[in-house]
Amino acid sequence: TDADQLRTLAQAVAALPVKLTADQAQAALDLLLAALKATTDEYQLRTLAQAVADVGPVSDPESPSTAPY
């Protein structure tokens, strides 16, 4: 996997004007975490870490919210 391709893909996903559903975000995170485990390349790791941050936290719609009211 090429770091430039990963960076371009991560930027494209971050620029999407839609919000991912919890299931979509979890699927994306699962793929990103698998890719993180499979590389030791510092540029790929940095790009993948940014992509994880761009996906953001995934909340379980079944669990109660912990956000303050």
Side-chain angles (χ1 to χ4, degrees), residues 1-68:
T1 307
D2 182 86
D4 290 330
Q5 290 175 334
L6 287 172
R7 185 170 25 276
T8 300
L9 182 57
Q11 290 170 343
V13 169
L16 289 174
V18 296
K19 183 161 176 72
L20 297 177
T21 66
D23 288 340
Q24 291 170 326
Q26 187 61 58
L29 286 174
D30 290 345
L31 291 172
L32 291 167
L33 293 175
L36 278 166
K37 292 178 184 177
T39 188
T40 57
D41 180 276
E42 72 175 282
Y43 298 108
Q44 289 181 1
L45 290 170
R46 187 176 308 141
T47 300
L48 290 165
Q50 182 60 53
V52 168
D54 290 342
V55 170
V58 177
S59 61
D60 181 357
E62 305 268 331
S63 67
S65 174
T66 56

